[in-house]
Amino acid sequence: MGGYKSQFQHGLDSPLTSMHIQRMTKTPPDITLIANWKMYGNSANTVEFSDYLLKNSHHWPQGTKVIFCPPACYLPVATQVLGKEKRGAVSVGAQSAHAQQNGAHTGDISAVMLKDVGCAYALVGHSENRQSRHLSDADVAAEAQAVQQAGLVPVICIGESLEDYTNGQAFAVLTRQIQAFLPHMQGAYLLAYEPVWAIGSGKTPTLAEIEKAHQHIKAQLQSVSHNVKQVRDSTPPVLYGGSVKHDNIKNILDLPSVDGALIGSASLSVAGFEAVLQAAFNSDK
Ligand code: PGA
């Protein structure tokens, strides 16, 4: 255990050759972990999980940030325990947000409403959501924009399908997805790189593939966005997601270009998430 190393430079002028200098100017939060419960859980274990995070966060290394994303109906349960907005190391996030503030959208929830119940973050463009709601890249960009306008921080999920991966199109897909939202960003956001084929499958890319994808993403953020001030000033954290477990998180977090992880099934219980956290804290970061 111990504090994360932060002596490496974060800038990426030459992404494929700067692995060893990336973290020199890295500033907290160094590691962000997201617990995405998807459509699992109930009020009792939402309280239990929130309570666990609340009572244990002071043991975590400095710079650790956890965002808890329970199903929408349990968000007020979580914020009641954890407090509203960003407070300390633990925040509450939604799993999706509609692009409109209000309107005739049965079953949907707007970012303004999420803000009202105390969320600080919202996932946007999770592949399960892109698929079930037939979201285009432009729809995801509109949702990310709405989340920022409501005063929350979007966590924008991108990633290639198995077909794209197999056809060698992964980087082209990532570039396309980034170019769709980047011009609309007006403030802070996070990115989650989630290869669709790795989500819930128990499969992950190799460590080298994850590192290369993150370097590609960061290089894109810098090259595509050189006129967007807040992006030029600091590259947003890029998290990896897709079958992250206690037995692979350390190696993933140790990759120079990985700034955290989005965790689904391994976050569904206190015991499971505690195992993930323990492994994460043994990371060199
Ligand atoms: P998983 O889910 O960890 O169960 O693969 C990741 C995600 O939420 O996208």
Side-chain angles (χ1 to χ4, degrees), residues 85 101 110-116 119 143-153:
E85 318 286 333
Q101 282 197 10
S110 75
V112 173
M113 295 166 181
L114 296 171
K115 173 83 172 169
D116 185 40
C119 291
E143 291 182 357
Q145 201 176 5
V147 167
Q148 284 189 335
Q149 281 167 356
L152 284 79
V153 177

Side-chain angles (χ1 to χ4, degrees), residues 123-183:
L123 303 184
V124 168
H126 190 288
S127 65
E128 289 156 8
N129 214 243
R130 285 184 192 247
Q131 210 173 355
S132 65
R133 292 177 52 212
H134 308 288
L135 298 178
S136 66
D137 290 338
D139 294 331
V140 172
E143 291 182 357
Q145 201 176 5
V147 167
Q148 284 189 335
Q149 281 167 356
L152 284 79
V153 177
V155 180
I156 304 168
C157 303
I158 57 174
E160 81 282 0
S161 67
L162 183 59
E163 194 186 356
D164 298 326
Y165 174 76
T166 314
N167 294 336
Q169 292 300 305
F171 283 11
V173 169
L174 295 174
T175 301
R176 190 199 73 215
Q177 292 175 333
I178 290 167
Q179 284 177 347
F181 72 77
L182 203 50

Side-chain angles (χ1 to χ4, degrees), residues 36 38 126 194 198-200 242-244 262-265:
N36 175 21
K38 311 192 180 191
H126 190 288
E194 299 205 292
I199 297 171
S243 296
V244 175
L262 197 166
I263 303 144
S265 57

